[in-house]
């Protein structure tokens, strides 16, 4: 069974999340504070972390940033705020996805399963038919999940890597934000355009010589993005 860590200070919400995840055949532990969540998360026992942002003491943004320094597992943040700036900040701290309160427990379980499936595919052999992709100075070695720019290895997070792999595998094809979200995150992208924009910007910072004037990951205004060979 896959093990989920819930970091949530509201006992009622945590219990509901735990019950639905247990019905979904997950093992679940709960941390009631940010400090406890960091300690438990660092144990390496978990396959995914469900993280509330509004925590007393150590807030969810700090917890996410701290855990991301050592963990390479999906982190799904939960927020009651509707503003894009909070979602963008959370994604910038290393979260893979977010869900906004109030939410349907069934939707939550579906989102968790989708993130785990994407993570498994990324870590598995889903792209083993092609060991290497190279366009210009950018090289992806799929067998080892490593990315190099001008021979120098760059460190990408899970979704950054998969987004780059998808764009390079479909070079010069324009994809809308909605399509990219659905392809990379694995479910309906409605209302989640900020997620794609954040990851595109982070990729540009890591692989472009001049991120503000990207040579490879180009914006096609009014349409979406493409990787220009």
């Amino acid at each position: 069974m896959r093990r989920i860590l819930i970091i949530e200070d509201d006992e009622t919400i945590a219990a509901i999340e735990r019950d639905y995840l247990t019905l979904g055949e997950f093992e679940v532990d709960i941390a009631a504070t940010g400090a406890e969540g960091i300690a438990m998360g660092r144990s390496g026992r978990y396959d995914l972390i469900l993280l509330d942002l509004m925590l007393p003491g150590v807030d969810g943004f700090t917890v996410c940033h701290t855990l991301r320094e050592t963990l390479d597992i999906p982190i799904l943040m939960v927020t009651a705020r509707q503003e894009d700036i909070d979602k963008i900040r959370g994604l910038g701290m290393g979260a893979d996805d977010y869900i906004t309160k109030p939410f349907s427990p069934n939707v939550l379980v579906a989102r968790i399963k989708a993130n785990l499936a994407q993570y498994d595919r990324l870590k598995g052999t889903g792209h083993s038919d092609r060991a290497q992709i190279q366009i210009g100075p950018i090289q992806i070695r799929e067998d080892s999940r490593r990315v190099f720019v001008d021979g120098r290895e760059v460190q990408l997070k899970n979704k950054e890597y998969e987004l780059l792999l998808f764009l390079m595998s479909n070079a010069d094809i324009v994809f809308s934000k909605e399509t990219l979200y659905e392809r990379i995150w694995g479910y309906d992208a409605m209302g989640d355009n900020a997620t794609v924009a954040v990851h595109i910007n982070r990729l540009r910072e890591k692989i472009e010589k001049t991120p503000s004037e990207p040579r490879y990951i180009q914006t096609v205004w009014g349409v979406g993005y493409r990787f220009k060979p």
Side-chain angles (χ1 to χ4, degrees):
M1 295 178 70
R2 312 300 291 271
R3 178 170 285 185
I4 308 297
L5 174 62
I6 296 173
I7 306 177
E8 168 66 67
D9 65 310
D10 188 310
E11 294 182 4
T12 301
I13 293 176
I16 293 172
E17 293 172 346
R18 179 198 60 209
D19 291 346
Y20 272 83
L21 288 171
T22 300
L23 289 173
E25 300 185 343
F26 293 102
E27 292 185 5
V28 180
D29 291 330
I30 297 173
T33 68
E36 184 182 9
I38 290 172
M40 294 175 68
R42 282 175 167 171
S43 69
R45 298 195 304 265
Y46 302 101
D47 299 292
L48 180 143
I49 293 176
L50 185 63
L51 172 64
D52 184 59
L53 291 184
M54 301 301 292
L55 296 169
V58 182
D59 64 35
F61 294 111
T62 302
V63 172
C64 183
H65 179 70
T66 302
L67 290 176
R68 185 52 78 205
E69 291 177 347
T70 56
L71 293 182
D72 184 24
I73 61 172
I75 297 177
L76 175 59
M77 62 183 187
V78 180
T79 176
R81 298 178 178 178
Q82 299 291 331
E83 294 85 356
D84 282 346
I85 187 64
D86 293 305
K87 300 169 186 176
I88 291 171
R89 183 183 175 194
L91 294 167
M93 290 290 182
D96 294 284
D97 195 9
Y98 63 84
I99 186 168
T100 304
K101 296 178 182 177
F103 52 80
S104 162
N106 288 322
V107 170
L108 175 66
V109 174
R111 297 281 284 262
I112 286 175
K113 288 182 176 180
N115 272 275
L116 286 171
Q118 289 292 102
Y119 180 79
D120 289 343
R121 183 166 69 86
L122 182 60
K123 289 297 187 181
T125 57
H127 299 293
S128 59
D129 58 319
R130 194 164 41 162
Q132 179 175 301
I133 300 176
Q134 180 151 1
I135 297 178
I138 303 169
Q139 178 190 81
I140 296 179
R141 299 179 187 175
E142 297 182 57
D143 52 351
S144 59
R145 192 181 169 271
R146 301 171 73 188
V147 176
F148 296 82
V149 179
D150 287 324
R152 176 181 59 84
E153 185 171 6
V154 296
Q155 301 297 321
L156 301 184
K157 295 183 174 66
N158 296 332
K159 292 297 190 294
E160 293 170 358
Y161 172 85
E162 191 154 346
L163 181 58
L164 179 63
L165 179 60
F166 180 79
L167 289 171
M168 289 183 65
S169 298
N170 298 278
D172 216 23
I173 299 175
V174 180
F175 295 96
S176 68
K177 292 179 181 179
E178 291 80 8
T179 297
L180 289 173
Y181 193 90
E182 184 175 358
R183 294 293 184 90
I184 304 306
W185 279 261
Y187 38 78
D188 189 357
M190 184 177 299
D192 288 296
N193 290 349
T195 303
V196 175
V198 168
H199 283 74
I200 289 289
N201 288 337
R202 292 199 324 218
L203 273 177
R204 286 170 172 166
E205 291 289 338
K206 294 180 179 182
I207 70 170
E208 298 276 4
K209 288 186 177 180
T210 308
S212 61
E213 299 177 2
R215 159 67 178 83
Y216 296 103
I217 302 180
Q218 297 184 348
T219 299
V220 179
W221 296 107
V223 183
Y225 301 100
R226 68 178 172 185
F227 191 97
K228 184 65 177 177

